[in-house]
Amino acid sequence: MDIKKNTFFILLFFMLSCNKKEDFKPTVKLDLILKNEKLKKDYTEFRFDNVYLLSGIEKKQSFINFSKETNIDELVLMTECEKPIVRCFAFKVLVEKDYSRIREVLFKHLNDNEYVDIYHPPCIRMNEMVKVYMLQQLDPFSNSKMKFSRTEYDHIYAELFK
């Protein structure tokens, strides 16, 4: 059922992506973020083990380690990265850390129409917009303290398609 639902939403996003809203514009290049040697080391170790976004990534030891080693400012900066997968990884860590301003970060990305591949092991790969991935991290069934109520979630989701 989830696969059919996600496929429907992906098709709907594709059809409606030609709206008049201006797309999200990244403000930071990855190489500038990684000038911080400690962050570069932590990020490299994390990405070596996590080439793709995975469902359930928050349970992987490399994700847990990366979350412990990075601070909020570094992660918020990474949500502005030119690479969409980096934005998603950073957002996911911020959600796991129950970052109090995570909704503000999400709202900055409501026009983030770039796609990322998300793998659902063992063999399902889906293409999803960054804004959808981020919103789903705060869905009503999320473990995050900052999750949306069903009404809020439905309202925001509808806004994505105006």
Side-chain angles (χ1 to χ4, degrees), residues 111-160:
N111 294 316
D112 196 335
N113 297 315
E114 288 193 69
Y115 284 88
V116 290
D117 285 336
I118 302 174
Y119 287 88
H120 301 273
C123 59
I124 298 173
R125 183 181 88 181
M126 300 183 71
N127 217 351
E128 194 166 78
M129 285 185 177
V130 170
K131 64 186 177 184
V132 174
Y133 176 83
M134 289 181 173
L135 178 59
Q136 288 175 345
Q137 303 312 303
L138 297 173
D139 75 18
F141 303 104
S142 167
N143 291 327
S144 174
K145 293 176 184 172
M146 300 305 294
K147 68 184 174 185
F148 292 107
S149 70
R150 184 71 193 178
T151 304
E152 291 171 323
Y153 185 86
D154 289 345
H155 176 75
I156 295 165
Y157 193 85
E159 288 292 316
L160 293 179

Side-chain angles (χ1 to χ4, degrees), residues 57-106:
I57 193 169
E58 67 277 359
K59 297 174 185 160
K60 290 184 74 176
Q61 190 59 48
S62 58
F63 181 89
I64 294 166
N65 292 345
F66 183 68
S67 179
K68 287 179 184 175
E69 296 298 323
T70 51
N71 66 45
I72 297 297
D73 292 336
E74 293 166 337
L75 293 164
V76 170
L77 180 65
M78 291 174 83
T79 65
E80 296 291 325
C81 183
E82 66 186 311
K83 308 281 186 196
I85 194 169
V86 174
R87 296 194 298 269
C88 290
F89 279 135
F91 190 85
K92 179 69 173 174
V93 175
L94 287 168
V95 169
E96 292 298 312
K97 288 186 174 213
D98 287 317
Y99 176 49
S100 63
R101 297 176 65 189
I102 193 67
R103 290 180 177 195
E104 292 174 37
V105 176
L106 170 67

Side-chain angles (χ1 to χ4, degrees), residues 28-39:
V28 183
K29 299 254 183 214
L30 182 59
D31 60 343
L32 292 175
I33 293 170
L34 299 180
K35 285 192 178 211
N36 174 331
E37 288 300 320
K38 181 192 169 302
L39 181 59

